[in-house]
Amino acid sequence: MSDVVYYIISAVLTVGVLVGIAMMSKVKSAPAGNILSAVCMAVAILVTLYRYEILSDAGLWVAMAVGLALGAFGAQKVKMIEMPQAVALLNGFGGAASAIVGVMELIQPSVAGAFSSATAGLAVAVGMLTLTGSLVAAAKLHGLIGQKPVVWNRHALLTIGSLVVTAVTIVLITVDVAVTPMTLLCLVFSGFFGVAFAIRVGGADMPITISLLNSFSGVAAGIAGLAIADPLLVAIGGVVGASGLLLTQIMCKAMNRHLMDILLGKTSAAAKPAAEPAAEPAAAEAAEEKQEEEVVEEIHPGEALKAAKQVIIVPGYGMALAQAQALVKQLADRLENQGTQVRYAIHPVAGRMPGHMNVLLAEVDVPYEQLCEMDDINPEFAACDVCVIVGANDVINPAANTAEGTPIYGMPVLNVENARHLIICNYDLKPGYAGVENPLYTKKGGVTMMLGDAKDSLQRLLDMM
């Protein structure tokens, strides 16, 4: 295969992957986009094998068959609730593959020169930190280790120190000084950096972390492509890295985070909000009397739903844990049958990864048109008769507007408190992953708390109607 033909095919496949990613941004076209990108990647593998005349290598075909079998097994066995940790693992595997390419290029160079050595060293570093960071993220998401932020003594110093040592090893590799020992040191210290980076991230920032690790896996692949002078790997890696970074920026905006703060671990550990000054006795008494006057007469949740003309349902991670989306759909169907308008309010970071709630609701055939993004649905809560919250906490917590110094302060949230009546189906009254108390749980009037498993709570609601 000539270089010109290879470059043309590479360009077509890269565009195909880009188109597939663009299609995945729309719910209706996402499945087709996923298939298109997967097919382009499969063709890219075959083209690479053909170009380097290794199509007949039996070992490669055996390895691909094993990978195909593992992928098919995972697709069948991994539950939707486990998808975030599966994505984290796949990010890690991508980083590991790039690190292996970098190591092999340093051991047996296929392209001579300092540039190839430097990029191979970078591929080792970025790939290894992606692997270890992703493993920690997956372990946190799966509950194998604590999901709260872990901050060591002198954490920042250890993190910066490991990064500096990693950079030094790459420089020494580039100038051909003790390449093998430096490669081993690069693997160790970049791997430690990945652990130190991910271990201090709490559940509140996990969607951003997954997106960022996704970007790192693409960057590592692109750098590995530079090391072995393969333009197709560079292009595909660049596409994955850029799309992951764009998604990370979207997540940061949705959570009112700064990417540099995430990288430095400044937003993960919960800080206590400043104590409010004690009110004067007379003022406190007047406030208490006013609160008593404003108490709304309690309404039976079943009666409230029967009388509602507009209902907004807010799904959260608790719905995913309980696998309660089918009962949510049953509730919506019953409301629609009585003439109630039903919509779903989707917060960008509800769940453990972007689009988590959309996929769960699509599983039970919720119409795409009923899924409303936060900016579109927030003005509608004031006209909403009943808002049903299923396992959501941080994304509806009005303390995000007032609790300075906490992980969710300044984060845009769903304005559910504006609805006339709230029905909150949560497992308990504990704070969400951000560790910030939700004032809606203790609000007097207009709120019905239904504690316990979301499936049981929703079934009770259905029985009341």
Side-chain angles (χ1 to χ4, degrees):
M1 180 185 295
S2 67
D3 288 345
V4 174
V5 173
Y6 178 64
Y7 295 154
I8 292 173
I9 293 175
S10 298
V12 171
L13 292 174
T14 303
V15 171
V17 172
L18 277 170
V19 172
I21 292 175
M23 293 172 66
M24 281 187 259
S25 66
K26 303 294 184 183
V27 178
K28 288 184 177 180
S29 58
N34 189 40
I35 292 173
L36 175 60
S37 293
V39 168
C40 287
M41 289 303 303
V43 173
I45 292 171
L46 294 175
V47 168
T48 300
L49 295 180
Y50 179 77
R51 173 175 170 76
Y52 293 100
E53 299 179 351
I54 49 179
L55 269 172
S56 59
D57 192 310
L60 285 174
W61 285 99
V62 170
M64 288 193 293
V66 171
L68 178 62
L70 290 174
F73 177 80
Q76 293 297 320
K77 293 298 182 180
V78 174
K79 300 175 183 177
M80 182 52 61
I81 189 64
E82 299 169 336
M83 194 56 66
Q85 48 263 52
V87 170
L89 277 177
L90 291 174
N91 290 339
F93 291 159
S98 300
I100 291 172
V101 171
V103 170
M104 296 306 299
E105 181 63 21
L106 292 172
I107 294 174
Q108 295 180 337
S110 62
V111 180
F115 179 78
S116 177
S117 297
T119 49
L122 278 172
V124 170
V126 179
M128 193 63 186
L129 72 88
T130 302
L131 170 63
T132 56
S134 298
L135 289 176
V136 171
K140 282 196 169 201
L141 290 168
H142 205 59
L144 298 178
I145 60 178
Q147 298 187 6
K148 292 186 178 296
V150 176
V151 181
W152 304 321
N153 290 331
R154 299 182 179 179
H155 198 122
L157 181 62
L158 291 171
T159 304
I160 295 172
S162 62
L163 190 59
V164 169
V165 173
T166 301
V168 170
T169 62
I170 294 172
V171 172
L172 293 176
I173 288 171
T174 303
V175 297
D176 201 23
V177 174
V179 173
T180 300
M182 289 303 106
T183 301
L184 291 174
L185 285 175
C186 185
L187 284 167
V188 171
F189 281 93
S190 60
F192 177 81
F193 176 84
V195 173
F197 162 70
I199 200 74
R200 66 186 174 192
V201 177
D205 291 332
M206 196 53 71
I208 296 176
T209 305
I210 293 176
S211 299
L212 189 59
L213 289 169
N214 181 24
S215 179
F216 284 170
S217 68
V219 170
I223 296 172
L226 290 172
I228 62 175
D230 186 348
L232 180 55
L233 184 55
V234 173
I236 298 296
V239 168
V240 174
S243 60
L245 185 58
L246 287 172
L247 183 57
T248 302
Q249 291 177 329
I250 292 171
M251 292 297 101
C252 286
K253 182 179 179 182
M255 298 179 67
N256 195 33
R257 296 285 198 267
H258 296 288
L259 182 57
M260 188 55 64
D261 288 343
I262 298 295
L263 293 172
L264 297 177
K266 290 182 178 180
T267 64
S268 298
K272 293 182 180 179
E276 295 182 3
E280 294 292 332
E285 186 177 342
E288 193 172 316
E289 290 177 0
K290 182 179 179 182
Q291 187 179 47
E292 289 177 359
E293 291 174 0
E294 292 179 349
V295 169
V296 179
E297 184 181 352
E298 289 297 331
I299 304 175
H300 188 273
E303 296 301 321
L305 286 171
K306 288 179 183 178
K309 298 301 180 184
Q310 294 190 47
V311 171
I312 297 176
I313 299 174
V314 179
Y317 189 60
M319 183 193 77
L321 282 175
Q323 291 290 281
Q325 56 267 33
L327 284 172
V328 169
K329 180 64 164 59
Q330 287 183 34
L331 178 63
D333 289 343
R334 190 166 299 183
L335 288 167
E336 288 178 331
N337 289 337
Q338 70 179 25
T340 303
Q341 181 190 39
V342 178
R343 287 169 294 176
Y344 298 81
I346 309 296
H347 193 282
V349 294
R352 287 294 176 275
M353 60 188 297
H356 200 177
M357 296 300 105
N358 303 66
V359 174
L360 289 172
L361 294 172
E363 280 187 331
V364 291
D365 298 323
V366 170
Y368 304 133
E369 296 76 16
Q370 292 183 356
L371 305 181
C372 303
E373 296 182 4
M374 178 179 61
D375 292 339
D376 296 329
I377 198 68
N378 261 346
E380 304 299 322
F381 280 107
C384 169
D385 297 305
V386 179
C387 177
V388 181
I389 298 161
V390 187
N393 192 326
D394 291 333
V395 298
I396 61 160
N397 194 341
N401 301 317
T402 57
E404 296 185 25
T406 63
I408 64 170
Y409 179 66
M411 182 179 87
V413 294
L414 294 165
N415 298 331
V416 298
E417 72 274 15
N418 294 335
R420 294 189 179 95
H421 190 87
L422 297 179
I423 300 175
I424 302 178
C425 304
N426 274 6
Y427 189 77
D428 51 37
L429 296 176
K430 293 180 180 179
Y433 282 99
V436 182
E437 297 288 345
N438 193 326
L440 294 177
Y441 293 175
T442 54
K443 182 181 178 183
K444 293 185 177 181
V447 177
T448 298
M449 295 297 305
M450 302 186 69
L451 303 181
D453 185 85
K455 274 188 176 180
D456 296 337
S457 298
L458 288 167
Q459 187 60 59
R460 294 207 312 270
L461 274 179
L462 287 166
D463 293 341
M464 292 176 188
M465 294 182 64

